[in-house]
Amino acid sequence: MNIILLGPPGAGKGTQARRLVEEHGMVQLSTGDMLRAAKTSGTEMGNKVAEVMARGDLVTDDIVIGLISEQLDGEAGQHGLIFDGFPRTLAQADALGKLLDEKGKTLDSVVEMKVDDDALVDRISGRFTCSKCGEVYHDTTKPTAKEGVCDVCGSTEFTRRADDNPDSVRVRLMAYYRSTAPLIGYYHAKGKLVSVDGLGEIDTVAADIKQGLGL
Ligand code: ADP
Ligand code: ADP
Ligand code: ZN
């Protein structure tokens, strides 16, 4: 099964993607994670995207389409895929449709995660991630069981994203409403859209997604 997790920044896409990976052996393709990896690689592309991401704007379509295309050609292409944070524009959605067609794959469902803006700002402000395994935590809604120690891998190193600040969040929300929200109508028209309330507890949202996908 190949799915898209669609929702504003902080909606819980990464958190739910990791659940699906653990419980259903799917593969998470996060363009945000790929871009952050490119950013630290010191390549020309990495330097170009760093500034755009810090501001909260979208990087160009050809860069992210290129990254996804590489993944589909590689090992990831053999598994059930979760597109997390991609597509974010209509041009990316069209490109994804073409890429999947070329590889004889189908898009099964697009899960829209609905969360209101106030909750998004709270979620993004409290987000931190294990530097070693990537587990996503939150200061109040999902703290580590033992302070300063990752529940999953035991690491004591965590990172907070430089773009998780109020200025960047405002720009990211605007980019979402302007460029990404139109994809809700696009996939609804294709009969692929499943909408879930993203405001509940992590377990409740996970159960709603599974039900929506028939898992
Ligand atoms: P969030 O967790 O806020 O949804 P991501 O980790 O998905 O954020 O993305 C972080 C940043 O990377 C975005 O603000 C944007 O600059 C860039 N980015 C990620 N995915 C895309 C994409 N599909 N198209 C354009 N830019 C992207
Ligand atoms: P996205 O990938 O959509 O940007 P994340 O999965 O990184 O979102 O989640 C953003 C923040 O909100 C993280 O700190 C995460 O721990 C927290 N979070 C995710 N889902 C929920 C939820 N259902 N309830 C409360 N907090 C959540
Ligand atoms: Zn960890």
Side-chain angles (χ1 to χ4, degrees), residues 4-5 38 41 58 61-62 64 77-78 87 106 123 131 144 147 150 153-155 163 165 196 214:
I4 294 171
L5 293 182
S41 68
L58 296 182
D61 290 333
D62 39 324
V64 286
Q78 314 305 312
T106 49
R123 285 190 184 182
S131 311
T144 54
E147 208 188 323
C150 176
C153 76
S155 167
D163 60 343
N165 65 71
V196 301

Side-chain angles (χ1 to χ4, degrees), residues 1-4 106-110 191-194 213:
M1 178 184 293
N2 302 311
I3 66 165
I4 294 171
T106 49
L107 177 65
D108 297 285
S109 294
V110 178
K192 304 277 185 200
L193 198 71
V194 176
L213 295 176

Side-chain angles (χ1 to χ4, degrees), residues 8 14 25 53 70 74 76 79 89 108 120 148 155 160 164 172 183 191 205:
M53 287 174 79
E70 273 171 32
H79 298 84
T89 63
D108 297 285
L120 295 174
S155 167
R160 285 183 193 260
D164 282 351
R172 280 150 69 197
L183 299 186
V205 178

